[in-house]
Every structure is written in C-alpha cells, then in structure tokens.
Amino acid sequence: MSLPTRLAGGLLAAVIAVGALLAASAGCGGGASSGTGAGAGAGTGTGTGAGAGTGAGAGAGTGAGTGAGAGAGAGTETGTGTGLDSGAADLARAAAWLWSKQLPDGSWRSDRYPYFRAGHALTPYVLHALLSVPEERAPRPEGGVERAIGFIRTTVSADGSVGVDGLPVAEYPTYAAAYALRCLARRADRADYDLRERLIARLASAQLREQTDVSPHDPAFGGWSFGPLPAGGPGHVDLSLTRHVLEALAEARYLARDEALARRETIRDRAERFLAFHQKYPLDLRPQPPELAGPLAAIPVPFDGGFYLSAVVPAANKAGIAVDPETGRRHFASYASATAEGLLALLALGVEPYDPRVEAARVWLVERHPRIDHHEGIPESDPTGWQNGLRLYHLAVRAEAHAAIGGPEGWRDDIRRELARFQRPNGAVQNLAGALMKEDDPSLGTALAVVALAAMER
C-alpha cells in the first residue's frame, strides 16, 4: 500500500498544497524555463571556471598516472579551463580516457583520496558509467568489461558487503555495494546469480526500520546509511545513499519481488516514507528539523516540491536553513541536486511521472529553478564552497533527471557547454575547485561527466 493511501486522512490538505504549488508555477514556469534556463546555460558563469583551468588542472589532463598533478608544468590553460574549441564536452573522448586509466587487474583507483585507493567504490561507479555509453559512440577495449567485472567479484564479502573487509579505510560501503549490484545486474551473467543475491540481501536488510532499532517516527526510517550501523544511532543517512540503493534494487528487479511477497510493509513503503519527509510533503505530519520541539515544531513547513539531503545530518544540507517569513518556522531549504536525487528515487520506486510528488519535484527543478550554470537553492555567497564543489555532480544528476522527465529548453546543449569548461583536450574532466566532493580527482570527475553525457544520449 502506498504512502498516499496509508495517510489518506490528510489527503485534502496535501491536494490543496500541491495544487496551489503547481498552479502558481503554471503562471510563471514557462518563462523561467525558456528564458533563464536556456540563456544561463550558455556558459556565463565563468567565476568558478577560472579556478578550474589553471596550470595544475591543465597538467592533470595530460593523462600521466591518475592526473593528480602529473605534467603540471605543461599547463597553459586559464580562464574557462578547457582547450576545446567546439564549446561542447565530448563523450567519446571522456570514455576513452577512463578506459585508458583501467589498471591490469580491472580496477580504477585514486592516488588522491584514500576512500578510492583500493578501488572497491570507484571501480563499480566508473564501470557503470561506461556501460551506459553506447558502444557505437565509444568502443570498449577488448576484455575491459570482463576484467572490471572480475575485480568487482573479488570485492564482495561473504555477507554481501563491499568496501569494508580488509581495508584500512572504508570505501563508501553502501555506494560500493549498490554499484557492484548495478554492474552485475546489467551484465546479467548467470554465473553471478549467487553474488547478486548476496548483494541484494545485504542492501535490503540494511534499510533502516524497526529491525535496525529505527522507529517509523524517526526521520531516518526507510533510508540507508553510509555503511555498517554504528552503536547508538543510524550513522550518516541521506537521500543520495537511498536513491542509489533503490536504483540498484530496481535494476536487479528486486523491488517487484519484495512487493509480491505481500509483507505488511515493504521496502517500497518504507522508502516512500523517507522520501516524503525529505520532500516536506504535506501528508507526512512528523515535525521537520531543526524545530523538533518547542512552540514552532507543530507548525507545518512550506511545501515547495523540492528536496533536501538529510534530516539526520544537518551539515549535509548544502542549501542550509530557510525561514518561513509568515510563521518564523525554520526548515532545511530545497536545492537542485537533492531535488533531482529525490525525483530519481521516486521513479526508481515505480512512482508514476504524473504522481503529484514527482510533478511537484519536476516543477521545482524544471520550471522554477532551471539554471544549469548555477546550483540553484545554494546561495551565491555560500561560505562553505558547495556552490563550486558540486559542479560536476550537479550536472550529472540534473542530466539524469531531465532525461527521465524532461528539462528546460536547450538543457542538453547547456550541460555540454558547462562540462566543456572542465574537460581537457585528452578527454579527462576535473573540477579543481571540487575537493569537497572529490571532483578534483580526474577519474571521478570524468565518470560524473560520462554519466551526464550518456544520459543525454537517451
């Protein structure tokens, strides 16, 4: 049974709220979509680009080692940080560069960040990005996919965990397991059936619920955490982790199987509850952070259709806290990458595009916040650096969302132009201002670019 059915008592209020949101957007959305979105994407935001293309970045694009400073003396580019004359990023060269960085054991690893050093997290992410590229657009080297799959097989432990056992630093265990499953599901090799089932069991059992000591009233309920649960709490729980697990389980065709078991409550039901809370959906009556107690806690927060990243980890919300001018009620602000992630998570659950939750997120992203060159929702003067640190991730998740539900006029060309600012002549993509999100690692940066560019081929 879906969340709207279970909470039908509040349906009228939700319909009024969503209807008002969509009606208000209908009057101004078209202009924003065609004007701001198409024009802004023409590459006007050059402030960050100046930092993205100075000496070290140009040298990093020479292809030596991992690109983390090799050949720095050869750097000559300034300004936008790209040597491309076409003004559009090139998918074939980005994919070819990634394939050239595959190690003999089939892995991709980083010399820059310990979290990617063993290759348990980076390898399945890079491979999944490359598998999304049509072979006619970027030929795959002979044996490359098989070597990568062979490496991934070695990373899966007996209990289905990835990125934990035998490593000095955990390598994003939940992401790593999700992408290992996605790669194996896409290959659909019968020999990997038991391995896929092991990964599925691990991910499904890791959803936060009563069995993991998380109450349905807890904002973390229905989501996924970073890795093995720490003592005394759910750990780092966010929308991005949850979205990637749901997509993995959907690609492995597990969600339909789970639903067919007719349990009292399924993965889908719990995940919908998690997503509703992080969209501030009116049907979810739990008090929104940070006002969890006191006189303001019972006051509903404004519903704008967008998402924020985490009710559990306040610092993870890149747009910070907003204040309702009418009530003084504080709440976490919606922003573009989180809204795109929430929308994709809903679609992974099988929620229809015409569902009011999906439509409200689409309106927020496409009609009210269509800019490609700016991470909307995050303040321009953001002192934490997330506006610049999330450039490539924002473009990747935007492309995936727009490919699924449509985007503002000219969005494909706008994303290609933005990515071109970070692409080197040899195909590598790197955001030197992106250390907060590790986008300054060229393997991760190029994989993010491939995700975006491949999504636009759909």
Side-chain angles (χ1 to χ4, degrees):
M1 184 179 295
S2 67
L3 176 66
T5 303
R6 292 199 308 273
L7 299 177
L11 181 59
L12 180 59
V15 169
I16 292 172
V18 176
L21 171 71
L22 301 182
S25 299
C28 62
S33 176
S34 59
T36 311
T44 57
T46 57
T48 310
T54 54
T62 61
T66 60
T76 58
E77 298 169 23
T78 57
T80 61
T82 177
L84 302 181
D85 296 326
S86 66
D90 188 285
L91 174 58
R93 286 190 296 111
W97 186 88
L98 277 177
W99 281 118
S100 76
K101 296 304 172 185
Q102 186 182 31
L103 296 175
D105 66 356
S107 69
W108 283 268
R109 304 174 189 239
S110 172
D111 289 337
R112 187 178 291 258
Y113 290 109
Y115 306 103
F116 297 145
R117 196 155 290 158
H120 287 213
L122 190 59
T123 299
Y125 185 76
V126 171
L127 179 62
H128 188 267
L130 289 169
L131 289 176
S132 68
V133 180
E135 286 199 68
E136 62 271 17
R137 293 284 283 110
R140 300 166 187 169
E142 184 176 357
V145 173
E146 289 70 22
R147 287 195 302 276
I149 291 291
F151 178 81
I152 290 171
R153 290 178 182 133
T154 70
T155 68
V156 182
S157 300
D159 63 357
S161 62
V162 183
V164 180
D165 289 354
L167 300 181
V169 178
E171 293 199 351
Y172 298 99
T174 299
Y175 283 117
Y179 273 95
L181 176 58
R182 296 183 79 176
C183 291
L184 295 176
R186 186 161 292 195
R187 291 288 288 170
D189 189 331
R190 289 186 179 181
D192 293 323
Y193 176 81
D194 290 342
L195 204 58
R196 293 195 300 270
E197 289 296 301
R198 204 186 308 165
L199 288 162
I200 287 170
R202 176 73 178 191
L203 290 170
S205 66
Q207 188 181 34
L208 299 172
R209 60 202 192 284
E210 293 97 328
Q211 291 90 331
T212 60
D213 296 324
V214 176
S215 161
H217 301 291
D218 194 305
F221 184 85
W224 274 265
S225 67
F226 175 83
L229 297 181
H236 183 111
V237 182
D238 69 37
L239 180 60
S240 180
L241 288 160
T242 300
R243 168 230 163 173
H244 288 293
V245 172
L246 291 174
E247 288 182 330
L249 294 175
E251 281 192 42
R253 301 184 180 180
Y254 178 74
L255 292 179
R257 192 199 319 173
D258 184 61
E259 196 80 17
L261 293 176
R263 295 171 177 162
R264 182 178 61 82
E265 190 170 51
T266 65
I267 286 175
R268 185 190 307 273
D269 295 317
R270 293 188 289 265
E272 284 193 35
R273 187 171 176 84
F274 179 86
L275 295 176
F277 193 82
H278 287 79
Q279 195 179 17
K280 297 165 282 192
Y281 199 65
L283 282 174
D284 194 312
L285 303 180
R286 291 173 289 177
Q288 284 281 336
E291 309 285 3
L292 296 177
L296 294 179
I299 298 176
V301 302
F303 174 66
D304 61 7
F307 284 79
Y308 63 95
L309 191 71
S310 178
V312 179
V313 188
N317 296 300
K318 282 68 175 178
I321 294 174
V323 179
D324 184 350
E326 296 184 5
T327 65
R329 177 66 156 88
R330 298 188 304 157
H331 58 93
F332 290 126
S334 305
Y335 59 102
S337 61
T339 300
E341 299 239 49
L343 190 155
L344 291 167
L346 286 169
L347 295 178
L349 284 172
V351 177
E352 298 289 351
Y354 51 76
D355 184 284
R357 294 164 291 173
V358 176
E359 176 62 8
R362 186 200 67 80
V363 167
W364 192 100
L365 195 65
V366 177
E367 298 183 12
R368 297 177 59 217
H369 301 89
R371 287 181 62 180
I372 301 298
D373 67 325
H374 176 74
H375 200 139
E376 295 212 66
I378 301 178
E380 290 273 8
S381 58
D382 168 44
T384 63
W386 285 116
Q387 183 64 244
N388 296 332
L390 280 169
R391 293 287 184 180
L392 300 178
Y393 194 78
H394 170 234
L395 295 173
V397 73
R398 271 261 191 193
E400 291 179 287
H402 290 330
I405 48 88
E409 183 179 349
W411 68 270
R412 287 180 172 85
D413 290 339
D414 293 344
I415 288 179
R416 289 189 183 101
R417 278 191 290 266
E418 281 298 302
L419 286 172
R421 297 169 50 208
F422 303 98
Q423 188 172 33
R424 308 299 168 205
N426 67 351
V429 178
Q430 184 181 26
N431 174 14
L432 291 182
L436 282 171
M437 191 64 180
K438 302 174 181 60
E439 293 183 356
D440 57 338
D441 185 291
S443 292
L444 178 61
T446 308
L448 287 166
V450 168
V451 168
L453 293 166
M456 294 187 289
E457 298 278 324
R458 298 172 195 163

